[in-house]
Amino acid sequence: MYGRVYSGKVCGISGNLISVETDISPGLPGICMVGYLASSVKEAGERVKTALKNCGVDIPSRRVTINLYPANIRKEGTNYDLAIAVSIMLSMGALDVNIDPSDTLILGELSLDGRVHPVNGVLPIVHYAAANGIQKVILPIENMKEASFVSEIQIIGVGSLYDAADAVRYISDVKSIGNRIIELSDGKVSEVEIRKDERPSVIKNDLSDIIGQDYMKRGLIVAVAGMHHLLLSGAAGAGKSMTAKSIPYIMPELSLDEKIEVTKIYSVAGYLRDNDSIIEERPFRSPHSSVTETAFIGGGHYPKPGEVTLANRGVLFLDEFPEFKRSVIEALRQPMEDRCVTVSRQSESITYPANFMLVAARNNCPCGAYPDLTVCHCKPSEIDRYRNKISHPIMDRIDISIEVKPVEKDKLIERKKGITTLEARNIISDAMARQRKRYEGTEYKFNSEVPQNKISEYMGLKTGTENMLISYMKEHNLSVRSYFKIIRLARTVADVNDHDDITEDDIYEAIFYKNNYKEDGCL
């Protein structure tokens, strides 16, 4: 006899449908699984066989052939356990139903006693399935909240193999369950209402808590308004890390599409918190300097997103920037430029999004005291070696470089409050509104995302302003990349200043931010 159901797998941060086919025929008893399977999937045969036996379903002493189609796509993970078990039960007639395999998706891992455990990557799989005609999904109860964000599909949560069998019978008897979310447990059907999380933003690091540093805060506002890469340089204790940790509270809210994209990434990586349905806040990733290149960029034997992808649509904060391995720092070149990263393996090539805002912080010397020569005793060769860990191509890709100077002692006594996080957020929101209007109907959201061939269309300079910029480029021998980055940055400065056209003052401010690292003696 023959049985078939659908399961799914993750491809990057998207999904794919996998057809699970089972045939039971005369022959030497045993389970044969085919379809380009990783060892974790091959082991599912024994897991499923034992789970079925412990739930009172004995597989007949015949040859059981299980095929996971398409056979040219490698399958790994434990997503397929529950689908394989249901397919076997359908094939041997243990489920007296007429289930439509083109209508239902089944996901879940099985334990030996028949319990169903949650799996990673549910959101991208369910999202893909709904877009390709799947109307119902049977999955672990723990994954229901995550899947509930896809409103186009009907969700049934189960806790055991018994519940899964009841779910198959239920959807076979009930032609349509509408848009309801149903939980099946111990044979009981109950409708579940899943509420979306509402997380109020609690400001832990207010900009007004940072004493002085007014021009640094100004540069921070410009960087966030256009999602420009930012480097903070200065002596230890000047407030670089504290400033970086205040960024999440002044960043714009995620759009609906961005929320889905970020949640897909965290679902695939297995980093969704308990009972999360969707991520509402922009990511803030701060890996330690000991991070490996694979953990940073992504990949591995079974490819997973790295830190640059986990920071997608948010902030990647690299504290003590020169302390990272040279290979890790240089690996930033492609994602900073292309806003994606491609991981190639012999069997497949996966592209992950990496549209992050880089915020890096570094001292000016190994001891962190320079330029205070009364404290700093680093040799010139040591300082040069330390600073040269950041190559020119990486520095060229950074839009804003700010020298953070130690706060004057008198200002510590004054305790004068500067701009608050709420005030900065309002300025950024107004600048963002300008960008939304400018790029309406395009794929761009921020000035920093506009490619070079579209610069003249969206950020054209007046003749006098452009001649001034070209003269400055020739005088300081700037690269073509720097030219376009200055224009993008000047457009953001103009948005913050509420200017329709980019003025010469906007260009000068952008030049100051872009080339400040050359003025502070750091390179």
Side-chain angles (χ1 to χ4, degrees):
M1 295 179 65
Y2 174 82
R4 185 181 73 165
V5 296
Y6 272 118
S7 188
K9 70 159 289 178
V10 172
C11 299
I13 65 164
S14 184
N16 207 340
L17 291 178
I18 301 296
S19 177
V20 180
E21 304 173 311
T22 300
D23 179 76
I24 299 179
S25 57
L28 189 65
I31 295 179
C32 176
M33 296 185 62
V34 295
Y36 198 9
L37 312 178
S39 58
S40 58
V41 184
K42 292 178 182 178
E43 293 166 356
E46 289 302 318
R47 272 198 309 273
V48 170
K49 179 181 177 181
T50 307
L52 286 169
K53 182 195 71 172
N54 290 330
C55 291
V57 180
D58 290 323
I59 299 177
S61 296
R62 293 187 172 190
R63 183 172 182 81
V64 179
T65 304
I66 302 169
N67 177 43
L68 274 63
Y69 172 86
N72 64 331
I73 298 177
R74 185 170 176 82
K75 293 91 180 174
E76 61 260 339
T78 56
N79 291 357
Y80 315 102
D81 287 11
L82 189 58
I84 291 171
V86 172
S87 178
I88 290 175
M89 287 191 289
L90 287 171
S91 181
M92 60 188 289
L95 288 175
D96 188 16
V97 295
N98 211 5
I99 185 172
D100 182 1
S102 64
D103 183 46
T104 304
L105 175 76
I106 302 177
L107 299 169
E109 177 183 348
L110 281 175
S111 62
L112 298 184
D113 61 356
R115 285 178 295 172
V116 178
H117 298 296
V119 293
N120 295 335
V122 165
L123 179 59
I125 295 173
V126 173
H127 191 266
Y128 179 88
N132 285 271
I134 298 293
Q135 297 178 10
K136 294 181 278 288
V137 58
I138 299 172
L139 44 63
I141 291 174
E142 293 87 347
N143 290 126
M144 289 175 66
K145 193 169 185 180
E146 176 186 348
S148 68
F149 193 72
V150 184
S151 58
E152 300 86 5
I153 203 166
Q154 303 154 356
I155 299 167
I156 302 178
V158 297
S160 68
L161 190 52
Y162 295 111
D163 299 335
D166 288 337
V168 174
R169 295 188 187 98
Y170 179 80
I171 62 178
S172 179
D173 294 338
V174 181
K175 299 302 180 184
S176 174
I177 62 174
N179 290 324
R180 293 179 294 169
I181 300 174
I182 294 172
E183 181 179 318
L184 256 159
S185 181
D186 298 327
K188 297 178 181 179
V189 180
S190 56
E191 191 169 337
V192 179
E193 180 182 356
I194 296 180
R195 298 181 179 179
K196 307 300 182 185
D197 294 334
E198 293 183 3
R199 297 193 182 97
S201 295
V202 179
I203 299 175
K204 296 179 181 179
N205 295 329
D206 197 290
L207 282 179
S208 62
D209 295 332
I210 302 172
I211 301 173
Q213 311 290 12
D214 291 335
Y215 93 93
M216 178 188 67
K217 295 177 187 177
R218 165 72 178 184
L220 193 68
I221 290 171
V222 172
V224 174
M227 293 295 282
H228 297 283
H229 301 309
L230 171 67
L231 173 66
L232 301 173
S233 304
K240 302 184 294 296
S241 298
M242 184 178 180
T243 300
K245 291 174 182 177
S246 68
I247 291 177
Y249 305 104
I250 63 175
M251 296 191 79
E253 293 183 359
L254 288 166
S255 67
L256 182 60
D257 290 341
E258 289 173 333
K259 289 177 184 178
I260 294 175
E261 184 180 25
V262 172
T263 307
K264 281 182 178 180
I265 292 169
Y266 279 73
S267 175
V268 170
Y271 290 160
L272 280 184
R273 293 171 289 189
D274 291 341
N275 297 321
D276 263 352
S277 60
I278 192 166
I279 292 178
E280 301 281 352
E281 301 166 353
R282 290 189 181 271
F284 184 89
R285 301 294 298 182
S286 181
H288 189 262
S289 58
S290 61
V291 66
T292 64
E293 187 175 351
T294 300
F296 190 69
I297 292 297
H301 187 64
Y302 300 122
K304 290 184 67 175
E307 291 292 338
V308 296
T309 300
L310 294 170
N312 186 61
R313 302 296 179 183
V315 174
L316 177 63
F317 175 47
L318 304 183
D319 203 2
E320 304 296 343
F321 196 26
E323 297 299 332
F324 284 78
K325 297 175 185 176
R326 182 66 178 257
S327 61
V328 170
I329 296 174
E330 293 303 314
L332 282 168
R333 291 193 187 191
Q334 183 201 356
M336 288 178 71
E337 194 71 17
D338 300 336
R339 302 186 183 275
C340 65
V341 60
T342 300
V343 178
S344 296
R345 293 292 180 268
Q346 185 176 4
S347 58
E348 60 183 338
S349 181
I350 298 173
T351 298
Y352 292 115
N355 192 355
F356 57 85
M357 172 184 170
L358 174 67
V359 179
R362 69 172 183 182
N363 299 326
N364 289 333
C365 70
C367 77
Y370 187 86
D372 187 352
L373 299 180
T374 61
V375 179
C376 177
H377 299 291
C378 296
K379 297 178 181 178
S381 59
E382 293 174 335
I383 296 175
D384 288 340
R385 192 180 309 114
Y386 179 78
R387 294 169 177 171
N388 288 333
K389 287 184 178 180
I390 315 300
S391 65
H392 177 74
I394 294 295
M395 292 299 302
D396 206 26
R397 285 168 167 80
I398 293 175
D399 302 306
I400 298 178
S401 180
I402 296 177
E403 173 70 5
V404 184
K405 301 186 182 298
V407 180
E408 298 176 9
K409 306 301 185 290
D410 294 340
K411 291 188 176 181
L412 292 174
I413 299 174
E414 291 176 7
R415 296 189 179 276
K416 182 180 178 182
K417 295 285 186 180
I419 189 171
T420 66
T421 290
L422 185 58
E423 292 169 341
R425 189 187 297 165
N426 290 336
I427 295 172
I428 291 169
S429 296
D430 292 340
M432 292 297 305
R434 281 178 163 271
Q435 292 174 76
R436 281 195 301 271
K437 184 178 180 180
R438 180 180 304 122
Y439 306 125
E440 187 176 2
T442 72
E443 59 182 311
Y444 319 126
K445 298 180 183 297
F446 302 98
N447 292 326
S448 60
E449 297 178 359
V450 179
Q452 292 184 9
N453 61 344
K454 296 290 183 179
I455 291 286
S456 59
E457 180 179 348
Y458 294 106
M459 306 177 187
L461 300 179
K462 293 183 177 179
T463 303
T465 306
E466 187 172 21
N467 290 338
M468 181 271 291
L469 176 56
I470 291 175
S471 297
Y472 183 88
M473 279 190 62
K474 292 178 179 178
E475 182 180 350
H476 293 82
N477 195 28
L478 299 183
S479 67
V480 175
R481 179 186 287 118
S482 293
Y483 170 77
F484 288 111
K485 281 192 173 293
I486 288 173
I487 294 178
R488 294 188 190 100
L489 189 53
R491 180 62 268 175
T492 303
V493 172
D495 289 334
V496 171
N497 291 334
D498 199 20
H499 295 166
D500 291 330
D501 296 321
I502 300 175
T503 66
E504 289 192 8
D505 288 340
D506 298 329
I507 290 286
Y508 281 126
E509 185 173 352
I511 288 172
F512 170 77
Y513 290 137
K514 174 61 184 165
N515 293 313
N516 192 37
Y517 74 94
K518 293 183 178 180
E519 306 296 335
D520 62 22
C522 293
L523 278 181

